Amino acid sequence: MRTNCRHFMKFGGFIFASVCAWYLGTLLAYLIPQDPLASTFDQLLPEKPKNYMPAPKRQKCHHWSPCLPGNYAYRIVSGGGKERFPQICFEDKLLLSKQEGNAGRGINIAIVDYNTGKVAAANYFDMWEGEFSKPMTDFINKAPQKSLIFIVTHDDGSTKLKEDGKKAIAELGSKEIRNLKFRSGWVFLAAKGFKLPENIQKEKIIHSDNSKNRYSGWPAEIQIEGCIPRNLTS
C-alpha cells in the first residue's frame, strides 16, 4: 500500500513539474519579444547570396541586340501624324530628327560616307507646298559614290513629287517609290556605288487608311533597322 502511495506521489510531482514548466515557458514567450530572438537566430545562419539582375545594356540606335563587330548600326523611323517627326539613326547618332532641326514635312534624306561612317549631308524637301522635287533629285544625284542614302517621309511625301525624283529613287533600288500615296509612311535605305546584302531591311511602306490609321488622317509610324557590314566592296 505504501509502495502504491509512493508511486502516486511521484506521478503527481511529475505532472505538477510539467504544468509549471509549460506555464513558465508560456510566460517567458509572452514577456520576451520574438523579433530580437528571430534576428539573433538569423545572424547565426550563413548569409544567403544575393542575386542582382544587371540592367539591360542599351544598344546602338535602340536595337534589341548589338551588331557584330565590323558592322554599322542603323534605324529609320517614319513620321507619325503632324507632331511625331521622323528619325534617322546611324551608329547611335541621330543624323536627322526634330531635335537636330533638320527634319520636316515631305521627304527627308541623309547621306553617309560608307568608308568613314560620317554624315555628308542631311536635308528635307517639302512635297506639299513649293517646288522641291528637282532640288531633292539634285541632292540625291550629287551623292558621291560609296554613299549610304537614308530616306524617310513625314506627313506627305507624294503630292508634289515629280517623275524625275521618282526615277532617281527607283534607280537606287526602291520598289515602292511609285506606290507612294498621299500621307503614306515610307522608309528606304540605299547604297550608291556598291550593293547592300540581300538579308538586311531596306524598305517599308504603309498607306493612310481612315479605318486603320493610328492618328487622325495619318497611319502609324513604320521603321527598319539592322546592321551593315563595313567591308562591302561592290
Side-chain angles (χ1 to χ4, degrees), residues 122-227:
N123 208 344
Y124 69 93
F125 302 88
D126 195 337
M127 293 296 153
W128 176 250
E129 291 182 338
E131 296 297 333
F132 297 103
S133 186
K134 188 177 188 313
M136 183 208 72
T137 305
D138 293 341
F139 185 80
I140 291 172
N141 288 336
K142 288 178 181 177
Q145 294 293 307
K146 298 288 284 187
S147 290
L148 292 167
I149 303 176
F150 302 86
I151 308 179
V152 59
T153 57
H154 176 51
D155 192 348
D156 176 49
S158 68
T159 299
K160 292 207 169 185
L161 178 62
K162 301 295 192 294
E163 177 58 30
D164 59 345
K166 293 177 182 179
K167 183 180 177 182
I169 294 171
E171 288 176 351
L172 290 173
S174 172
K175 294 178 174 61
E176 300 289 355
I177 186 60
R178 298 190 187 280
N179 297 325
L180 204 61
K181 300 176 183 178
F182 177 63
R183 290 183 176 173
S184 292
W186 173 60
V187 289
F188 177 52
L189 164 63
K192 186 174 181 179
F194 64 104
K195 189 177 180 181
L196 292 170
E198 293 294 332
N199 62 342
I200 68 171
Q201 296 181 9
K202 302 183 190 70
E203 189 170 27
K204 192 178 287 187
I205 194 169
I206 185 172
H207 300 298
S208 177
D209 182 338
N210 288 331
S211 66
K212 299 178 182 178
N213 285 341
R214 174 177 294 177
Y215 308 101
S216 179
W218 289 269
E221 302 94 328
I222 53 171
Q223 71 175 45
I224 58 174
E225 65 179 45
C227 307

Side-chain angles (χ1 to χ4, degrees), residues 20-90:
C20 289
W22 172 83
Y23 179 76
L24 247 150
T26 303
L27 185 64
L28 288 172
Y30 177 77
L31 293 174
I32 300 174
Q34 293 183 4
D35 287 348
L37 289 175
S39 177
T40 304
F41 182 72
D42 288 343
Q43 290 176 3
L44 295 175
L45 294 174
E47 186 177 356
K48 294 180 180 178
K50 295 179 181 179
N51 295 323
Y52 295 100
M53 291 296 292
K57 185 179 179 182
R58 182 188 173 282
Q59 306 300 335
K60 289 180 179 179
C61 294
H62 297 283
H63 283 198
W64 282 106
S65 56
C67 290
L68 294 174
N71 284 260
Y72 291 123
Y74 72 93
R75 183 170 180 255
I76 315 172
V77 185
S78 68
K82 282 189 175 182
E83 304 303 324
R84 295 179 179 271
F85 279 63
Q87 292 186 351
I88 296 174
C89 178
F90 182 78

